[in-house]
């Protein structure tokens, strides 16, 4: 019960934390809540979300591991509250859906048309968000640099070479109107392409797989960069983990890449 209670507090803090980040000088999580209606009865604690079938994995590095490009506070809010809420909402949408809940995440997203109408949007937004963020955390935490080996060869063959690739990918990231993602997709034969998707849509929804991608929702960069998405997009390359992205490339070709 202690765990459930604590989780309720954490979720309750989300709105406060997000409201607070718009205030100048915000540094500590969350400030005191504005007074609610006087003498109101205490709100019932929110129901704890189901704990599965999906879980929020720990970040594979410390919150400040990407400090060169993304501040630690953004990393923590983004992982704990944005991604965390998507996992909880995905699990909630799957309550009572035994067949769908047994599917691995990639298969779930490839088969959204089989989902009941009343939960399809929830699965799309939260399942897509879970897949996208899982990939996003995995490919960062590095020191940038350049790809090598088979991956570099594929970039040269399919994306115009290392310099052109970065130019094209940055342009794609800037072309996303509002919230969404820029991706490099990879086929089972290792062919690469640049793609964008709105909101939390995933290439998996079109039967494709994402090798890598950048989250260009404002929550991914607003604390440090405010409206300067181009600066964030340019700096993002400095914390990529090309060894991990190369592992993902090899897995895609081997047929073992999941999300
Ligand atoms: Mn995000």
């Amino acid at each position: 019960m202690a765990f459930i209670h604590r989780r309720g507090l954490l979720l309750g803090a989300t709105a406060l934390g997000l409201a607070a980040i718009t205030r100048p000088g915000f540094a500590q999580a969350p400030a005191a809540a504005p007074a609610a209606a006087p003498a109101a009865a205490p709100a019932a604690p929110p129901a704890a979300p189901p704990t599965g079938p999906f879980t929020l994995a720990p970040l594979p590095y410390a919150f400040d591991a990407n400090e060169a490009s993304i501040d630690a506070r953004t990393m923590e809010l983004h992982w704990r509250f944005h991604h965390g809420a998507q996992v909880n909402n995905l699990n909630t949408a799957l309550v009572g859906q035994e067949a769908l809940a047994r599917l691995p995440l990639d298969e779930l997203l490839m088969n959204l048309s089989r989902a009941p109408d009343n939960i399809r949007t929830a699965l799309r937004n939260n399942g897509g968000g879970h897949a996208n963020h899982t990939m996003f955390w995995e490919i960062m935490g590095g020191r940038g640099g350049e790809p090598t080996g088979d991956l570099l060869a594929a970039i040269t063959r399919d994306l115009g070479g290392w310099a052109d690739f970065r130019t094209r990918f940055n342009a794609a990231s800037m072309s996303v109107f509002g919230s969404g993602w820029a991706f490099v997709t990879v086929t089972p034969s290792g062919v690469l392409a640049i793609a964008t998707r709105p909101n939390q849509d995933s290439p998996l929804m079109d039967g494709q797989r994402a090798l890598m991608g950048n989250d260009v929702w404002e929550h991914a960069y607003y604390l440090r960069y405010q409206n300067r998405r181009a600066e964030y997009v340019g700096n993002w390359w400095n914390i990529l983990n090309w060894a991990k992205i190369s592992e993902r490339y090899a897995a895609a070709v081997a047929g073992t890449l999941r999300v």
Side-chain angles (χ1 to χ4, degrees), residues 27 31 41 44 54 62 87 121 139 159 163 174 196 208 211:
F54 296 102
V87 172
T121 298
I139 65 165
L159 302 176
M174 294 304 294
T196 62
Q208 302 176 46
L211 172 69

Side-chain angles (χ1 to χ4, degrees), residues 78 133 181 200 215 217 219:
H78 197 172
H133 288 101
W181 291 75
Q200 293 295 353
D215 185 341
W217 284 61
H219 67 234

Side-chain angles (χ1 to χ4, degrees), residues 118-254:
N118 65 325
I119 62 167
R120 190 176 303 122
T121 298
L123 297 182
R124 180 178 193 136
N125 291 340
N126 297 293
H130 185 30
N132 289 340
H133 288 101
T134 299
M135 172 277 297
F136 187 58
W137 310 136
E138 184 180 325
I139 65 165
M140 299 194 297
R143 299 279 181 90
E146 300 183 9
T148 56
D150 290 347
L151 177 54
L152 179 60
I155 289 170
T156 302
R157 181 191 64 213
D158 300 331
L159 302 176
W162 170 236
D164 265 17
F165 161 51
R166 283 177 297 159
T167 301
R168 292 183 197 181
F169 190 88
N170 289 348
S173 301
M174 294 304 294
S175 77
V176 176
F177 181 76
S179 299
W181 291 75
F183 296 102
V184 175
T185 59
V186 57
T187 70
S189 55
V191 175
L192 305 178
I194 294 172
T196 62
R197 293 290 187 279
N199 303 314
Q200 293 295 353
D201 284 1
S202 159
L204 290 163
M205 296 169 187
D206 308 308
Q208 302 176 46
R209 292 190 188 272
L211 172 69
M212 58 185 284
N214 193 3
D215 185 341
V216 294
W217 284 61
E218 285 186 344
H219 67 234
Y221 61 86
Y222 210 83
L223 282 184
R224 179 179 286 184
Y225 298 98
Q226 292 86 51
N227 58 306
R228 303 186 308 278
R229 185 192 288 186
E231 191 179 334
Y232 161 68
V233 162
N235 284 353
W236 179 70
W237 299 93
N238 298 330
I239 45 88
L240 291 184
N241 181 340
W242 284 108
K244 186 59 71 174
I245 299 169
S246 283
E247 285 177 23
R248 291 178 59 84
Y249 185 74
V253 174

Side-chain angles (χ1 to χ4, degrees), residues 50-94:
T51 56
F54 296 102
T55 55
L56 179 65
L59 278 182
Y61 36 68
F63 292 130
D64 65 359
N66 296 311
E67 191 69 39
S69 305
I70 303 174
D71 61 280
R73 185 66 177 146
T74 293
M75 286 298 302
E76 180 171 8
L77 289 168
H78 197 172
W79 169 76
R80 188 185 305 283
F81 295 126
H82 292 268
H83 188 185
Q86 288 162 354
V87 172
N88 289 337
N89 292 340
L90 176 60
N91 288 334
T92 299
L94 287 169

